[in-house]
Amino acid sequence: MIHIMAKIIDNLTEQQDALRSEIIAALHESVCSVTFIKSDGTERVMQCTLLPERLPIRDDANTGKPKPKRTPMNVVVWDIEKSDWRSFNIKNVIRWKRER
């Protein structure tokens, strides 16, 4: 039963899946500002991107650790301000916009 529940929780609604696709496409074209609720319940605004020219050459660049694990819920991005890989849960996004 627990396995089935976990599978249901990991599924995105059509709306969440569309939002995820839209955000990822924008991240590949520009820097975006994403506001979301962190796992500890606090709100965070992150300047992030997936522009190839803004990404580190190696996944563990500047951090000594690998990128966060990709899941259907998480969007893995390069945090411009922290110069590190970060992720956010698509279900916790409050708003987002292209910055530049």
Side-chain angles (χ1 to χ4, degrees), residues 5-6 10 15 20-21 25-26 34 43 48 50 52 55-56 63 66-68 71 83 88 90 95 99:
M5 289 295 287
D10 284 344
Q15 191 174 33
R20 184 179 193 281
S21 296
V34 180
E43 185 175 303
C48 52
L50 291 174
L55 302 181
T63 66
K67 282 196 294 188
T71 70
S83 294
F88 57 87
I90 199 67
R95 63 187 162 277
E99 290 294 322

Side-chain angles (χ1 to χ4, degrees), residues 23-24 26-36 44-51 54-55 75-88 95-100:
I23 291 173
I24 289 173
L27 288 163
H28 281 284
E29 298 171 356
S30 63
V31 172
C32 295
S33 174
V34 180
T35 304
F36 61 96
R44 174 155 189 241
V45 179
M46 180 168 41
Q47 303 297 314
C48 52
T49 192
L50 291 174
L51 279 167
R54 299 292 298 260
L55 302 181
V75 177
V76 177
V77 296
W78 183 253
D79 184 325
I80 300 295
E81 295 167 338
K82 299 202 184 273
S83 294
D84 199 1
W85 291 106
R86 295 289 195 258
S87 66
F88 57 87
R95 63 187 162 277
W96 73 278
K97 65 179 180 175
R98 291 176 193 248
E99 290 294 322
R100 47 191 165 202

Side-chain angles (χ1 to χ4, degrees), residues 1-16:
M1 185 69 153
I2 293 172
H3 178 70
I4 293 170
M5 289 295 287
K7 190 168 184 164
I8 291 169
I9 291 169
D10 284 344
N11 288 334
L12 295 174
T13 66
E14 285 183 34
Q15 191 174 33
Q16 290 165 335

